[in-house]
Amino acid sequence: AQTVTQSQPEMSVQEAETVTLSCTYDTSESDYYLFWYKQPPSRQMILVIRQEAYKQQNATENRFSVNFQKAAKSFSLKISDSQLGDAAMYFCAYNRRADKLIFGTGTRLQVFP
Amino acid sequence: KAGVTQTPRYLIKTRGQQVTLSCSPISGHRSVSWYQQTPGQGLQFLFEYFSETQRNKGNFPGRFSGRQFSNSRSEMNVSTLELGDSALYLCASSLPSGREETQYFGPGTRLLVL
């Protein structure tokens, strides 16, 4: 069975600094998708970034980028120039095509001014 | 384009009652998935509907059911509510088309069972 592990329950970063959130996953599939979702106090789950496993190039969305290591089954999220609005729970998620999302337990990110 | 909408946003029910939650997907999306989020169990998949058919199902008791209409709107029903059903219920929609599988979430419905 596929699993997603986020080993950092909480992280903190100073405004304008860079922080990296870790995620590892386990699967025997070769074709799958990985995601980072952000859940602020409003509880709305917001897509941050998406990676297709067959693409070797790491995805980037403005200040957010990933380090996708397929062989190591690692998918970390780097947030550059952190802002107060980045404070939220961050969930790493995995799925195969036409299948459910499997989530990690989340990392709570605090951003200090 | 409007996002995923869920109604109601908040609900308070008592044990034994039943509840129906509604989800309207992003226009053009044909798949709707439901997830339950609790502090103890995290995010768990309930079921997914695609073109009015249940395509995937999670490991929840039969008290949890759903359906999808021809306009892709979906409803989720929980019968004989238990205290443990208190949770945030999230709905997500996706196309899916080709390799586009991304699920976009609504704001959720917070259910409190007393």
Side-chain angles (χ1 to χ4, degrees), chain B residues 39-104:
Chain B
Q41 300 298 316
L43 283 147
Q44 294 187 288
F45 171 75
L46 282 152
F47 30 65
E48 183 223 358
Y49 286 86
F50 177 75
S51 293
E52 301 179 64
T53 301
Q54 187 180 85
R55 186 163 68 171
N56 287 306
K57 188 177 189 304
N59 189 25
F60 277 80
R63 300 186 297 106
F64 292 81
S65 63
R67 59 178 175 169
Q68 187 180 34
F69 302 94
S70 59
N71 62 358
S72 294
R73 189 177 71 85
S74 176
E75 286 182 348
M76 185 191 111
N77 185 75
V78 187
S79 63
T80 320
L81 283 166
E82 300 177 0
L83 296 179
D85 297 333
S86 294
L88 178 68
Y89 290 89
L90 292 164
C91 160
S93 77
S94 63
L95 276 169
S97 174
R99 296 197 66 86
E100 176 49 63
E101 294 282 348
T102 305
Q103 295 185 27
Y104 297 91

Side-chain angles (χ1 to χ4, degrees), chain A residues 43, chain B residues 8-21 36-39 63-64 76 78 80-89 108-114:
Chain A
R43 308 304 296 279
Chain B
R9 294 293 310 280
Y10 304 93
L11 265 180
I12 300 176
K13 293 285 187 178
T14 56
R15 278 181 298 173
Q17 287 187 309
Q18 76 164 20
V19 67
T20 299
L21 312 182
Q36 181 197 65
Q37 186 177 23
T38 60
R63 300 186 297 106
F64 292 81
M76 185 191 111
V78 187
T80 320
L81 283 166
E82 300 177 0
L83 296 179
D85 297 333
S86 294
L88 178 68
Y89 290 89
T109 295
R110 287 204 206 191
L111 172 64
L112 176 62
V113 182
L114 302 175

Side-chain angles (χ1 to χ4, degrees), chain A residues 31-33 35 37 39 41-47 50 52-54 91 95-105, chain B residues 4 9 33 35 37 43-45 48 55-58 88 90 92 96 98-108 110:
Chain A
D31 190 14
Y32 52 87
Y33 305 84
F35 306 86
Y37 284 92
Q39 189 177 43
S42 67
R43 308 304 296 279
Q44 169 105 41
M45 196 75 78
I46 301 164
L47 176 71
R50 169 182 182 268
E52 296 185 44
Y54 80 95
F91 291 95
N95 78 345
R96 300 173 301 178
R97 185 181 298 190
D99 204 356
K100 64 188 179 189
L101 282 167
I102 298 171
F103 289 90
T105 51
Chain B
V4 179
R9 294 293 310 280
S33 298
Y35 296 84
Q37 186 177 23
L43 283 147
Q44 294 187 288
F45 171 75
E48 183 223 358
R55 186 163 68 171
N56 287 306
K57 188 177 189 304
L88 178 68
L90 292 164
R99 296 197 66 86
E100 176 49 63
E101 294 282 348
T102 305
Q103 295 185 27
Y104 297 91
F105 285 82
R110 287 204 206 191

Side-chain angles (χ1 to χ4, degrees), chain A residues 11-83:
Chain A
M11 293 281 286
S12 61
V13 64
Q14 201 126 23
E15 215 176 352
E17 297 296 307
T18 296
V19 64
T20 298
L21 309 184
S22 301
C23 172
T24 58
Y25 59 95
D26 189 24
T27 183
S28 57
E29 304 288 332
S30 59
D31 190 14
Y32 52 87
Y33 305 84
L34 294 164
F35 306 86
W36 279 98
Y37 284 92
K38 166 186 175 181
Q39 189 177 43
S42 67
R43 308 304 296 279
Q44 169 105 41
M45 196 75 78
I46 301 164
L47 176 71
V48 175
I49 201 162
R50 169 182 182 268
Q51 175 81 43
E52 296 185 44
Y54 80 95
K55 290 184 177 178
Q56 294 187 345
Q57 188 172 5
N58 289 324
T60 299
E61 285 288 341
N62 301 314
R63 298 182 294 108
F64 299 88
S65 61
V66 298
N67 183 3
F68 172 49
Q69 301 289 327
K70 191 171 185 179
K73 297 179 183 175
S74 170
F75 184 61
S76 61
L77 174 70
K78 185 172 84 171
I79 306 174
S80 305
D81 186 25
S82 296
Q83 300 175 0

